[in-house]
Amino acid sequence: MVPIFLVELNNENGVVYLETTKGKVSNSLPFKLTNLNSCFKGLTGATGATGPTGATGPTGATGETGPTGSQGVAGATGPTGPTGETGSTGPQGSTGPQGPGVKTIAGLVNSDGSVGAGASFTVSHPSTGEYFITFPPGTWSSFPVMTVTPLGVDPGVVVPLIWGEGLGGGEAVFTIRLSSSAGADTPQDNAFQFIAAAT
């Protein structure tokens, strides 16, 4: 028997047979050719023990910032916070314009023509039972109406007669005549109160 060595790196399978000079072939015998390295290789030894863990390598460079992620779902509303302290009172605002109500001026005139109460008017008393009440310019936006009520009538019933005159520019003058009797003109001094009003 002659050994045949295969110097290739891989094992090979084959067959061998005999062929006569007359072209006759014998039965074939299969065989396996083992490469030279495998023939002289020893058995595989047992796995050695695991070596110690190596030192941690240096930190790598920071990677590029990734794209912004989609917006997350809105969270639930948090609880209401405590009520803050009350702030200080602000400064008082300016006075607003006069409303569209009725403007009224009232006064009390003594029997001698002096002003007993009230403002925004003057009084003159030229003769017995006669009184002039004057409102200065800018007092009225329209001509006012007036009512007169005698006070503390003495010695008899005092009947007031009233007529007025508008002088323009919000000025007005009213003449008041007091009489101790109706019909006949019997002038009498007497205290009275009045109310003048205009829209």
Side-chain angles (χ1 to χ4, degrees):
M1 179 168 78
V2 178
I4 299 175
F5 297 101
L6 180 67
V7 296
E8 295 294 332
L9 297 179
N10 297 322
N11 298 328
E12 296 289 342
N13 293 323
V15 293
V16 65
Y17 58 88
L18 296 177
E19 183 178 356
T20 67
T21 58
K22 295 181 178 182
K24 293 184 179 181
V25 179
S26 66
N27 294 332
S28 62
L29 296 174
F31 68 91
K32 179 178 181 180
L33 297 177
T34 304
N35 67 64
L36 186 62
N37 291 336
S38 297
C39 291
F40 294 98
K41 183 179 180 181
L43 297 175
T44 300
T47 302
T50 302
T53 301
T56 302
T59 302
T62 302
E64 296 181 359
T65 302
T68 302
S70 58
Q71 182 174 346
V73 179
T77 302
T80 302
T83 302
E85 297 181 0
T86 301
S88 59
T89 302
Q92 181 174 344
S94 58
T95 302
Q98 181 174 329
V102 176
K103 180 176 182 179
T104 301
I105 298 177
L108 172 64
V109 179
N110 297 318
S111 60
D112 62 0
S114 61
V115 177
S120 301
F121 63 93
T122 59
V123 180
S124 61
H125 182 38
S127 61
T128 302
E130 188 173 44
Y131 303 86
F132 295 135
I133 299 177
T134 302
F135 299 97
T139 302
W140 306 104
S141 58
S142 61
F143 189 75
V145 296
M146 178 180 284
T147 59
V148 173
T149 303
L151 299 177
V153 177
D154 184 33
V157 177
V158 177
V159 179
L161 300 176
I162 309 168
W163 61 92
E165 179 182 6
L167 303 181
E171 183 179 6
V173 177
F174 282 86
T175 301
I176 313 297
R177 288 182 63 87
L178 301 181
S179 176
S180 61
S181 62
D185 184 13
T186 53
Q188 178 176 318
D189 289 343
N190 202 90
F192 63 91
Q193 63 182 11
F194 72 88
I195 298 176
T199 57

